[in-house]
Structure formats: structure tokens, C-alpha cells
Amino acid sequence: MRIFSGMQPSGDLHLGNYLGALRQWVASQNPDAFYCVVDLHALTLPIEPATLARQRTELFATFLAAGLDPEVSTVFFQSDVAYHAQLNWLLECVVSFGELGRMTAFKEKAARAEGYRVGLFTYPVLMAGDILLYETEEVPVGDDQRQHLELCRDAAQRFNHRYGETFRVPRAVVPPVAARVMDLQEPTRKMSKSLSSPLGSIFLVDSPEAIARKVSRAVTDTDGEVRPDRERKPGLTNLLEIFASFEGSPVESVAERYTRYGDLKRDLSELVVSSLAPIRERYSELLAAPEHLAGLAARGAAAAAAVAGPVYQRAARAMGLG
Ligand code: TYM
């Protein structure tokens, strides 16, 4: 199964990134799968060069620490494969200004960034190219990327219609639970790298103490009943979903086992700590060997370029170039 997905190196990974995306990647990896540190995307918001340089390596290490095996699938940096930037331009001449203006992620980010960059606006086009370059069938992502995926599908269909059959039209694959992990302090808002309250996000690199503190302080409700209800009990439902996702069981079966919020929270923090501990450990080992990581990334980029090159050429020729 041809799979592509990517993640931005724009800060520490949180449980949403892990449960919504990275864990699905690990489960679905195969010789035909491509997982990308989308470092070009991280330039759409202000970021110090030294910070980006550090974070992109850390994210690559996190991918491997979480269980992606570069011997099985292709793991690489977006900026190492120039076809991403090249196809972006071709697709900018296919996607319309109006379509991009409707993207909710753009509207939210632009509202907060004074004098935002053109790249923030055209970002979904770059993302569409990432996916289309690999003739992708499935894109495992969290719920917040659905709209971008629709744009990608529209762009592919329009291109094929206008210039002849060129791209495979991909589909989003969203996990059955934890596709939208919510902020622990404001459970009507999604957990995010940048926006969260200090206790709102659990990061993969958090210490066991920090995890326990965040889970125990998570906002719930006062009716005292342990049952999922996204509307009326968003905080508790979020905790149940995180639990169910880590355990791989249905939300209801977790809820049935508990009568008290405190017991649920205690077991949940143990589950999160024990699930993340091996990742944290491997992460430190991997970061201690930067040359090894660089070697793996170079191999990944060569393998990715071998697939992306012919697809790019085909698209360029279809438009009358080359
Ligand atoms: P990014 O880097 O913001 O997030 C990476 C992945 O994590 C998922 N995610 C969540 N899932 C559940 N709950 C949450 N609270 C949560 N927050 C984030 C995201 O859905 C995503 O799957 N535009 C993408 C990066 C990208 C990409 C691509 C993805 C660029 N090119 C091509 C797929 C294919 C983004 O900003 O993800």
C-alpha cells in the first residue's frame, strides 16, 4: 500500500501528533510507505534557523524512536528532495486563490500572525505536492488535516482533467479514536504545539512527573459519571479516548471499568508513562549518534527522489514543460 504522511518540525511532539498520526504510521509502515519531516512547511511561521536545524533532527529521531524502521519504509527530510518545491510551483498554477482562502487552518493562523508570510497562505499547495509526488493511496493524519486532503484531491483531479491523467487521487485515513486529541485544560480546543496552556499538552519528551501532574489536573466535569459524551463531557471523554487509544480498546470498555474520575486518571497516567518510556529512551540514544541519523536521512532522500523524480517529470511534461 502506497502511503505518505508528514509532520512539521515546529516544536515538541504531543499526544495528538502521536495518537492521531505517528502511531498509525508505525502500524502501517511497509516497503511502499514514505514518512517525511516537512521542514519546508516549518518556514511558514517565524522560526530561528538554529531552532529549525535542531528541531528537524529531533523530529527525525522521534520518528525512529516511536518505531518507524528506515529498513522497512522510507524516512526523509522534505528539503532534501527538491521535487517538493518544484511541484509546489506547478500546483500553485492549478489551485485557486479562493480555495486557499477557505482553509480554516490558514484563517486561524493568519488571525494570530501579523504580516503573515505568503507561504502560510500557499502551504496546502506544498502539502498537496508532497502527497501527489509519491502516487499516494493513503495519507494517515489526524482529523485537522481533512480539509487539506480535500484540497489535495481537488488539485489532483483538476490537474488530471486539464492536462491528462497524471496523479493518483489519495485519501485521508483518520484513526477511529483520538483523531482529535483535545487540550487537557480547555477540552473544546485541540491539543496543539503552539496554542496550548502550560498544562494542556502532554509532550512525548515529558518526564513521568510532568505527565502525572498534567493528567491529574486535567479539566473534567462535576456530574461524576464515567461515560463518553463529547458534547457534555468533553474533558472526561478526551481522557477516555486517550486511554482507549493507548490500550487499543473501545472507549466504552474503558469507561465501564471505572466509577471514579480519580481512579481513571491514576491508571491513565501510568499507562501514558509506561507507553512513552521506551520512546523517550530510544530518542536519547538516537540523538547521541547524529552521524548515524544523517546517514539514514541521506539514504531516505535518495529513495524518495527515485520515486518523486519521474512523477514530477510526468507532471511537468503534461503542462508543456521539459
Ligand atoms: P502537523 O505537523 O501539525 O501535525 C502532524 C500530525 O499530527 C496530527 N495532529 C493531531 N491529531 C490528533 N489530535 C491532535 N490534537 C492533533 N494535532 C495534530 C495532524 O493531523 C498531523 O497528521 N500539514 C501537516 C503536515 C504535512 C503533511 C503533508 C501531512 C505537510 N505535508 C503531507 C500529511 C501529508 C501538519 O501541519 O501537520
Side-chain angles (χ1 to χ4, degrees), residues 15-16 36 43 59 123 125 185 216 231:
L15 280 191
C36 184
L43 294 170
L59 186 56
Y123 165 123
V125 183
Q185 290 295 311
S216 77
E231 286 282 294

PDB file of all heavy atoms in Angstrom, residues 15-16 36 43 59 123 125 185 216 231:
ATOM      1  N   LEU A  15       0.735  14.407  22.436  1.00  0.00           N
ATOM      2  CA  LEU A  15      -0.065  13.178  22.310  1.00  0.00           C
ATOM      3  C   LEU A  15      -0.961  13.186  21.081  1.00  0.00           C
ATOM      4  O   LEU A  15      -1.252  12.131  20.533  1.00  0.00           O
ATOM      5  CB  LEU A  15      -0.951  12.987  23.546  1.00  0.00           C
ATOM      6  CG  LEU A  15      -0.300  12.406  24.794  1.00  0.00           C
ATOM      7  CD1 LEU A  15      -1.379  12.035  25.807  1.00  0.00           C
ATOM      8  CD2 LEU A  15       0.535  11.178  24.446  1.00  0.00           C
ATOM      9  N   GLY A  16      -1.413  14.359  20.647  1.00  0.00           N
ATOM     10  CA  GLY A  16      -2.235  14.434  19.437  1.00  0.00           C
ATOM     11  C   GLY A  16      -1.438  13.972  18.223  1.00  0.00           C
ATOM     12  O   GLY A  16      -1.899  13.144  17.440  1.00  0.00           O
ATOM     13  N   CYS A  36       7.782  11.741   6.197  1.00  0.00           N
ATOM     14  CA  CYS A  36       8.616  12.892   5.863  1.00  0.00           C
ATOM     15  C   CYS A  36       8.616  13.942   6.978  1.00  0.00           C
ATOM     16  O   CYS A  36       7.551  14.300   7.503  1.00  0.00           O
ATOM     17  CB  CYS A  36       8.027  13.487   4.574  1.00  0.00           C
ATOM     18  SG  CYS A  36       8.940  14.837   3.881  1.00  0.00           S
ATOM     19  N   LEU A  43       8.848  26.755   7.739  1.00  0.00           N
ATOM     20  CA  LEU A  43       9.257  28.138   7.449  1.00  0.00           C
ATOM     21  C   LEU A  43       8.058  29.074   7.281  1.00  0.00           C
ATOM     22  O   LEU A  43       8.243  30.276   7.110  1.00  0.00           O
ATOM     23  CB  LEU A  43      10.099  28.171   6.168  1.00  0.00           C
ATOM     24  CG  LEU A  43      11.453  27.458   6.246  1.00  0.00           C
ATOM     25  CD1 LEU A  43      12.073  27.341   4.854  1.00  0.00           C
ATOM     26  CD2 LEU A  43      12.400  28.204   7.181  1.00  0.00           C
ATOM     27  N   LEU A  59      12.998  15.724  15.279  1.00  0.00           N
ATOM     28  CA  LEU A  59      11.786  15.065  14.781  1.00  0.00           C
ATOM     29  C   LEU A  59      12.130  13.776  14.039  1.00  0.00           C
ATOM     30  O   LEU A  59      11.455  12.758  14.199  1.00  0.00           O
ATOM     31  CB  LEU A  59      10.985  16.019  13.875  1.00  0.00           C
ATOM     32  CG  LEU A  59       9.629  15.490  13.409  1.00  0.00           C
ATOM     33  CD1 LEU A  59       8.736  15.093  14.575  1.00  0.00           C
ATOM     34  CD2 LEU A  59       8.895  16.529  12.544  1.00  0.00           C
ATOM     35  N   TYR A 123       0.666  27.198   1.801  1.00  0.00           N
ATOM     36  CA  TYR A 123       1.087  25.966   2.477  1.00  0.00           C
ATOM     37  C   TYR A 123       0.337  24.695   2.032  1.00  0.00           C
ATOM     38  O   TYR A 123       0.957  23.653   1.790  1.00  0.00           O
ATOM     39  CB  TYR A 123       0.927  26.272   3.966  1.00  0.00           C
ATOM     40  CG  TYR A 123       0.924  25.202   4.983  1.00  0.00           C
ATOM     41  CD1 TYR A 123       1.851  25.238   6.034  1.00  0.00           C
ATOM     42  CD2 TYR A 123      -0.007  24.170   4.980  1.00  0.00           C
ATOM     43  CE1 TYR A 123       1.837  24.274   7.012  1.00  0.00           C
ATOM     44  CE2 TYR A 123      -0.015  23.208   5.947  1.00  0.00           C
ATOM     45  CZ  TYR A 123       0.912  23.257   6.966  1.00  0.00           C
ATOM     46  OH  TYR A 123       0.915  22.301   7.924  1.00  0.00           O
ATOM     47  N   VAL A 125      -0.787  23.925  -0.754  1.00  0.00           N
ATOM     48  CA  VAL A 125      -0.357  23.532  -2.096  1.00  0.00           C
ATOM     49  C   VAL A 125       0.931  22.705  -1.995  1.00  0.00           C
ATOM     50  O   VAL A 125       1.080  21.664  -2.644  1.00  0.00           O
ATOM     51  CB  VAL A 125      -0.127  24.768  -2.996  1.00  0.00           C
ATOM     52  CG1 VAL A 125       0.250  24.326  -4.404  1.00  0.00           C
ATOM     53  CG2 VAL A 125      -1.347  25.664  -3.009  1.00  0.00           C
ATOM     54  N   GLN A 185      -6.630  21.226  29.438  1.00  0.00           N
ATOM     55  CA  GLN A 185      -7.182  22.315  30.239  1.00  0.00           C
ATOM     56  C   GLN A 185      -8.402  22.955  29.588  1.00  0.00           C
ATOM     57  O   GLN A 185      -9.275  23.471  30.267  1.00  0.00           O
ATOM     58  CB  GLN A 185      -6.107  23.398  30.460  1.00  0.00           C
ATOM     59  CG  GLN A 185      -4.995  22.963  31.390  1.00  0.00           C
ATOM     60  CD  GLN A 185      -5.511  22.727  32.792  1.00  0.00           C
ATOM     61  OE1 GLN A 185      -6.218  23.556  33.359  1.00  0.00           O
ATOM     62  NE2 GLN A 185      -5.175  21.576  33.356  1.00  0.00           N
ATOM     63  N   SER A 216      -3.498  14.521  36.230  1.00  0.00           N
ATOM     64  CA  SER A 216      -4.307  14.689  37.453  1.00  0.00           C
ATOM     65  C   SER A 216      -5.007  16.047  37.471  1.00  0.00           C
ATOM     66  O   SER A 216      -6.089  16.180  38.031  1.00  0.00           O
ATOM     67  CB  SER A 216      -3.456  14.476  38.702  1.00  0.00           C
ATOM     68  OG  SER A 216      -2.667  15.609  38.928  1.00  0.00           O
ATOM     69  N   GLU A 231     -20.118  16.121  23.752  1.00  0.00           N
ATOM     70  CA  GLU A 231     -20.822  17.393  23.891  1.00  0.00           C
ATOM     71  C   GLU A 231     -20.792  17.903  25.322  1.00  0.00           C
ATOM     72  O   GLU A 231     -20.366  19.019  25.597  1.00  0.00           O
ATOM     73  CB  GLU A 231     -22.301  17.208  23.514  1.00  0.00           C
ATOM     74  CG  GLU A 231     -22.560  17.066  22.040  1.00  0.00           C
ATOM     75  CD  GLU A 231     -22.511  18.413  21.350  1.00  0.00           C
ATOM     76  OE1 GLU A 231     -23.395  19.238  21.641  1.00  0.00           O
ATOM     77  OE2 GLU A 231     -21.579  18.630  20.546  1.00  0.00           O
TER      78      GLU A 231
END
